[in-house]
Amino acid sequence: MSAHIRFISAGAGSGKTYRLTELLLAELQAGRVRAAGVLATTFTKRAATELRERVRSFLISQGEFTRADAVGSARIGTVNSVCGSLLQRFAFEAGLPTEQRVLDEARAGQLLREAVDTVIEGHALSELLQVARRLSLDTDPRGGKPPWQDALGKLVDQARANAIDADVLRGFGTANADNLLSHFPAPAKMDLDARLAAALAAAIPGVMQSMQDNAQKNTKEYLDLLISAQRDLAQHTLAWSAWNKLTVCGSAKVKTLAEPVMEVAVMLASHAGLHGDLRRYVELMFALAADTLDAYASAKRQIGALDFTDQERLLLDVLDHPFVASTLGDELDLLMVDEFQDTSPIQLALFLKLACYARQVVWVGDIKQAIYGFRGSDTALMRSVIEALPKLDGTKEVLAHSWRSRPSLVEFVNHVFAARFEGLAASEVTLSAKRLEIDGTVAIADWLIDGNNAETRNQALAAGIQRLLASSTQIMDPKSEQLRSVRAADIAILARANDTVKDIAAALGAAGIASATQQPGLLGEPEVVLALACIRRLNDDQDTLATAEIVSLADCAEPETWLVDRLEWLAAGEAHGEWKERAISGHEPHVILETLRSLRDQAAVLTPKEAVELVIARCGLMRRVVQWQQGADRARVRLAKSRPGDRIGTAVRRRVPFRSGCCVAVGPAALAAEPSGQRARHEGTARSGCRAGDDAPRGQRP
């Protein structure tokens, strides 16, 4: 390695971006680093832009216009944008075309889910489902995906993050099963099923008699458990979780009678059948994951595309090419890696390889954070790097000050978390506040929310916020830096689940507090569904589902009000695709469908942008959207989303396949409208929706 690694430990609010800017400026001004020799990676485009612009702005303020202009040649971007630019540059050495189609995360995720579905549908899954059922991995009690499907997705993600080929992954099944079973006792040689059957047969009559003598709820529950276990055992369908429940008898009255059953049940870990099911489950899951990787790779080849992980792996391979190594060795003056704690295994390998070519290496991260853990990052990697720094002749710098929060909050966080991170010294967790204290204002308040269910607790929360807003509690205005009363827009509510966010937003709305939540995607909004239906109907005069959506949404009509008319139309033998497009036999046309019919001849020569704008304007969609609303604030928000030049136009143009075939479906656009009012947010990676009460059409509530 040609350079020593300098690691900067930077907690939230500790001035990380300022330190990076300061460091980069110092190296540029000292002439030790050329702007074109800088390679800096971040995890967001915004962070990359901020770093570049801060450096450029400071240089301009110092009159160093030449250096400021040269900053544009620095390679500062997200990990994948930097990987993409290097792959494009060294495309010949990598055996790739210079123009590469790269899938964004949304499209790649969709393609991967389709690959999983293809593999699941194509396999004879009866054996896996039987094993999963016995292991209680076949259903999610909360109604989500079966646990085995969730585990399959995670296994595929981990394989991709670690650059494991399908063939290699397939061979891991047996090794992982061996490792798992090494933690279990050796399989029992006796027939535990037969012993349990005998114990159940002996215990059940006595427990039944006890029930007749003195019925108790826990005795009845245990008797039911015994009877169902006897039945399932005879049918060879007894789940291992049910077997495990037999180890405990909640009824003291029949515990003596149940002892023979419990004696056999506690031998579950030695059951040869359990060992067999665990081994088979692991092997089948690895085989399915390997087949999914093959199917995903095939799907990408069919459309000639790469995903972000492909970019990282291809770049890792090409970095060993002599010409690439020589070129980067001559060019790389400074390698900077931001948010190092979010590094995946394959990215760590990339950064280590690039560090071999750079003259200076700076990695910045916070082991306490793992914001992008869903992308394959692992904080254990960061721990390993920190522990290995002395061997690499590296150094560690800790940013010890908090520039973001007031002293009382910093002290509170220090007190709570200083001893909570195993393996980290308190000095690496705690921060020293640099801001001045705000006298006479509350820093921390503990609210006890009353209510015996989620609905009443949400109502109590909304009532508490009402009291807070009416209390004239003082806060420091971030712009004027003057004290003022708290406003609804100053408040953020964090929840653990998306559904909770929706329910809290509904409670706030019922209390008259406007709120904004991160939306599930623009394509799920009622106004966008209506616009999409219009575009689909314009494109296909046989799309009767689009017709139903238009009729239902445009007029807020319940199905009962138009379904009879539709059935009478079909009974009269009329063309099914022309319903509501023209007046026949007393059936009145719908103005939007009439308009779309008149525009259809133009569709073939319109660009997607022109088609969207024409449909929105000629069909009067904005007017209809406003008519949905009972409140002026909600109307303004929806109207903003319905303007052709805003995100609805972009979302619709990117989603709908026109006759020209020029549009490819991509992931939904994220939406977080921010009217003046309460912000109810869910912090995390999943997007959450907002229920808007009665101000949207019943057929499609947001």
Side-chain angles (χ1 to χ4, degrees):
M1 188 171 292
S2 62
H4 303 310
I5 296 174
R6 184 192 316 184
F7 182 82
I8 300 176
S9 177
S14 62
K16 175 194 67 176
T17 304
Y18 180 87
R19 181 70 182 104
L20 286 177
T21 305
E22 181 183 57
L23 190 155
L24 182 52
L25 275 169
E27 296 303 307
L28 288 170
Q29 291 180 312
R32 291 186 292 268
V33 167
R34 301 161 293 175
V38 174
L39 193 158
T41 68
T42 66
F43 266 79
T44 66
K45 295 178 182 178
R46 179 180 177 181
T49 301
E50 182 180 8
L51 177 59
R52 185 191 301 275
E53 292 310 312
R54 280 197 184 190
V55 173
R56 195 198 307 271
S57 297
F58 184 84
L59 289 171
I60 291 174
S61 70
Q62 298 296 306
E64 298 189 46
F65 301 110
T66 301
R67 279 201 175 102
D69 185 60
V71 169
S73 63
R75 285 168 287 202
I76 303 175
T78 63
V79 176
N80 298 111
S81 68
V82 169
C83 288
S85 64
L86 289 175
L87 272 182
Q88 195 169 36
R89 181 181 179 189
F90 299 116
F92 178 78
E93 290 74 18
L96 296 170
T98 54
E99 294 295 328
Q100 299 149 21
R101 181 185 178 189
V102 182
L103 302 173
D104 62 21
E105 284 187 299
R107 183 70 180 105
Q110 177 186 342
L111 203 63
L112 181 58
R113 288 190 296 272
E114 291 173 358
V116 172
D117 291 342
T118 299
V119 169
I120 290 175
E121 291 171 2
H123 273 69
L125 292 180
S126 58
E127 182 183 8
L128 174 63
L129 294 177
Q130 288 174 9
V131 172
R133 189 176 300 112
R134 289 195 294 271
L135 293 171
S136 300
L137 297 172
D138 58 326
T139 57
D140 180 358
R142 295 169 296 183
K145 288 194 301 184
W148 71 267
Q149 283 193 27
D150 188 53
L152 176 62
K154 291 178 180 177
L155 183 56
V156 170
D157 290 341
Q158 288 295 318
R160 295 177 63 240
N162 286 273
I164 300 174
D165 288 324
D167 290 339
V168 175
L169 182 65
R170 195 172 279 107
F172 282 176
T174 299
N176 275 267
D178 290 341
N179 181 59
L180 172 63
L181 292 174
S182 68
H183 299 282
F184 282 70
K189 295 181 179 179
M190 65 187 75
D191 187 345
L192 293 180
D193 282 353
R195 288 193 59 179
L196 181 62
L200 288 169
I204 288 175
V207 177
M208 281 185 172
Q209 184 61 49
S210 178
M211 267 288 298
Q212 292 174 1
D213 294 342
N214 187 8
Q216 292 182 348
K217 181 180 178 182
N218 53 0
T219 302
K220 182 180 185 307
E221 289 175 349
Y222 191 67
L223 176 61
D224 291 341
L225 177 63
L226 294 178
I227 293 173
S228 63
Q230 185 181 49
R231 181 191 64 243
D232 293 344
L233 184 64
Q235 297 173 355
H236 305 289
T237 59
L238 181 63
W240 299 115
S241 59
W243 183 297
N244 188 57
K245 289 178 182 177
L246 296 172
T247 60
V248 178
C249 176
S251 173
K253 185 177 179 181
V254 298
K255 194 167 186 178
T256 302
L257 297 171
E259 280 182 359
V261 174
M262 292 189 289
E263 288 175 0
V264 180
V266 296
M267 301 177 69
L268 171 62
S270 301
H271 199 300
L274 175 62
H275 286 224
D277 278 350
L278 289 171
R279 174 174 296 280
R280 194 61 187 137
Y281 174 75
V282 172
E283 291 174 346
L284 287 170
M285 290 295 288
F286 272 87
L288 275 175
D291 291 345
T292 298
L293 290 180
D294 282 337
Y296 181 50
S298 176
K300 288 184 292 185
R301 284 194 300 270
Q302 288 178 6
I303 60 176
L306 305 172
D307 65 12
F308 290 162
T309 302
D310 294 329
Q311 284 185 310
E312 294 165 356
R313 184 168 184 174
L314 288 167
L315 180 60
L316 182 61
D317 292 339
V318 81
L319 287 178
D320 289 324
H321 192 284
F323 174 75
V324 176
S326 173
T327 301
L328 292 178
D330 292 338
E331 293 180 356
L332 276 186
D333 293 333
L334 174 63
L335 170 66
M336 302 178 75
V337 178
D338 189 13
E339 304 290 3
F340 185 76
Q341 75 277 355
D342 299 324
T343 299
S344 68
I346 190 171
Q347 289 169 352
L348 175 61
L350 264 176
F351 297 148
L352 288 170
K353 186 68 67 67
L354 288 169
C356 294
Y357 306 137
R359 293 170 181 80
Q360 295 188 53
V361 179
V362 178
W363 291 348
V364 185
D366 180 7
I367 199 169
K368 302 185 297 299
Q369 302 180 56
I371 299 171
Y372 285 81
F374 63 91
R375 296 181 62 174
S377 64
D378 185 351
T379 52
L381 291 176
M382 189 171 177
R383 287 181 181 272
S384 300
V385 169
I386 293 174
E387 292 170 0
L389 277 176
K391 297 178 182 178
L392 299 173
D393 200 18
T395 60
K396 181 168 70 171
E397 171 187 348
V398 178
L399 301 185
H401 300 294
S402 171
W403 301 87
R404 180 179 299 168
S405 301
R406 56 194 290 185
S408 51
L409 282 177
V410 174
E411 292 169 7
F412 174 75
V413 172
N414 288 344
H415 178 75
V416 172
F417 292 106
R420 295 296 186 270
F421 292 92
E422 184 179 352
L424 288 181
S427 60
E428 294 188 57
V429 178
T430 60
L431 295 173
S432 174
K434 298 297 287 185
R435 281 182 53 184
L436 297 176
E437 187 56 88
I438 308 171
D439 295 329
T441 63
V442 176
I444 301 165
D446 186 15
W447 287 10
L448 298 178
I449 304 297
D450 293 328
N452 53 13
N453 56 50
E455 182 179 2
T456 56
R457 287 192 294 271
N458 291 339
Q459 292 170 352
L461 174 61
I465 292 173
Q466 282 181 317
R467 291 191 294 272
L468 175 64
L469 294 173
S471 67
S472 299
T473 297
Q474 297 292 292
I475 68 164
M476 181 70 72
D477 187 276
K479 293 183 179 179
S480 68
E481 296 188 354
Q482 300 295 318
L483 289 176
R484 62 166 173 79
S485 297
V486 65
R487 301 169 185 162
D490 299 318
I491 302 170
I493 300 175
L494 308 183
R496 290 184 177 273
N498 293 340
D499 289 342
T500 306
V501 172
K502 298 176 186 177
D503 294 340
I504 291 174
L508 291 170
I513 303 172
S515 64
T517 67
Q518 190 174 14
Q519 300 298 309
L522 208 57
L523 295 178
E525 292 290 307
E527 53 270 44
V528 184
V529 173
L530 175 58
L532 278 170
C534 291
I535 296 295
R536 284 162 40 213
R537 183 66 193 181
L538 176 70
N539 188 47
D540 182 2
D541 61 4
Q542 299 301 306
D543 192 338
T544 55
L545 177 59
T547 301
E549 289 176 345
I550 292 169
V551 172
S552 179
L553 285 168
D555 302 323
C556 305
E558 296 285 2
E560 292 82 357
T561 63
W562 52 262
L563 188 56
V564 172
D565 187 70
R566 169 67 175 169
L567 294 174
E568 289 176 351
W569 174 277
L570 295 176
E574 302 293 348
H576 75 282
E578 295 183 359
W579 178 64
K580 291 292 184 181
E581 260 198 1
R582 54 193 179 91
I584 298 178
S585 305
H587 295 275
E588 293 298 323
H590 194 285
V591 62
I592 290 181
L593 292 165
E594 268 193 318
T595 303
L596 292 173
R597 182 166 62 88
S598 68
L599 297 176
R600 193 165 292 128
D601 290 340
Q602 303 177 46
V605 296
L606 294 175
T607 66
K609 181 176 184 294
E610 291 169 342
V612 171
E613 292 177 345
L614 185 65
V615 165
I616 291 176
R618 293 285 295 277
C619 294
L621 298 190
M622 287 191 289
R623 173 179 56 79
R624 290 181 179 274
V625 165
V626 172
Q627 290 175 344
W628 291 346
Q629 314 308 320
Q630 293 181 346
D633 285 341
R634 293 291 296 171
R636 281 193 292 271
V637 172
R638 291 207 181 281
L639 185 59
K641 292 184 288 186
S642 301
R643 298 188 189 282
D646 290 335
R647 282 182 284 182
I648 180 175
T650 302
V652 175
R653 289 196 302 273
R654 297 177 70 189
R655 173 63 179 86
V656 180
F658 289 84
R659 284 178 176 163
S660 59
C662 58
C663 285
V664 179
V666 298
L671 173 66
E674 298 260 342
S676 176
Q678 164 67 33
R679 296 178 187 177
R681 291 181 178 169
H682 166 67
E683 190 170 68
T685 60
R687 294 192 175 103
S688 60
C690 174
R691 195 170 71 200
D694 293 325
D695 64 351
R698 294 189 179 183
Q700 181 72 35
R701 290 193 180 182

